[in-house]
Amino acid sequence: MPIKISARTVKREFLERLEKISGQNIHKCFQCGTCSGSCPMNASMDAFPRKVMHLAQLGLEGEVGKLNTCWICASCHACNVKCPRGIDLPRVMEALRLMALRRNVDHINPSRMASDLLRECPQIAMVAAFRKLTS
Ligand code: SF4
Ligand code: SF4
């Protein structure tokens, strides 16, 4: 007998996986936006951290996956020291990166990087980027 997988199930699965990997209760977020206001990387993000939390609460994996937010996050912890709900947002961002990498979705491809960037970028930064952004 075929297993029925509804959209509702898929959404719940995404949220449960995200909460399990990050160790955070995504539903504790009450959308105050403090994280977005304190994020030093917000100018480079498609969507601010607050919006990522909202989409995650709704279980919208596809929408979250289209955004560059988790890849731009520098894990600086500015957001989580100010979050009034005590949410460790860097861990949520890390979990989103891990979930993408486990689907073999790489954020950078060394063979497509500009040759002057490869030549000028410090090796330690390249190694760190490959560790963080490729599966
Ligand atoms: S600071 Fe915390 S509660 Fe406020 S929007 Fe960000 S994650 Fe949610
Ligand atoms: S940990 Fe990431 S999301 Fe939070 S303030 Fe720093 S760069 Fe922004």
Side-chain angles (χ1 to χ4, degrees), residues 3-21 56 58-59 61 99:
I3 301 168
K4 280 190 186 165
I5 301 176
S6 67
R8 198 184 177 90
T9 313
V10 172
K11 284 179 181 178
R12 200 173 57 236
E13 276 178 5
F14 166 64
L15 193 53
E16 284 172 359
R17 248 184 307 133
L18 183 58
E19 290 192 327
K20 188 171 178 189
I21 296 172
L58 297 172
E61 182 173 16
M99 287 162 75

Side-chain angles (χ1 to χ4, degrees), residues 34-42 45 48-49 69-70 72-80 88-91 93 97:
T34 305
C35 49
S36 302
S38 29
C39 177
M41 304 302 291
N42 63 15
M45 291 172 169
F48 290 169
T69 308
C70 71
I72 296 293
C73 170
S75 304
C76 71
H77 291 266
C79 51
N80 97 291
D88 192 332
L89 211 65
R91 290 187 68 181
M93 297 295 173
R97 288 195 295 271

Side-chain angles (χ1 to χ4, degrees), residues 82-133:
K82 290 188 179 166
C83 175
R85 300 294 281 155
I87 298 168
D88 192 332
L89 211 65
R91 290 187 68 181
V92 176
M93 297 295 173
E94 173 71 9
L96 290 170
R97 288 195 295 271
L98 284 174
M99 287 162 75
L101 295 173
R102 285 176 189 176
R103 295 193 308 272
N104 290 328
V105 177
D106 292 338
H107 188 59
I108 56 171
N109 182 337
S111 62
R112 291 203 197 128
M113 293 172 79
S115 54
D116 29 337
L117 175 64
L118 288 171
R119 200 170 41 250
E120 289 168 18
C121 190
Q123 281 189 345
I124 193 165
M126 295 297 283
V127 171
F130 293 150
R131 279 194 184 142
K132 180 177 168 181
L133 307 174

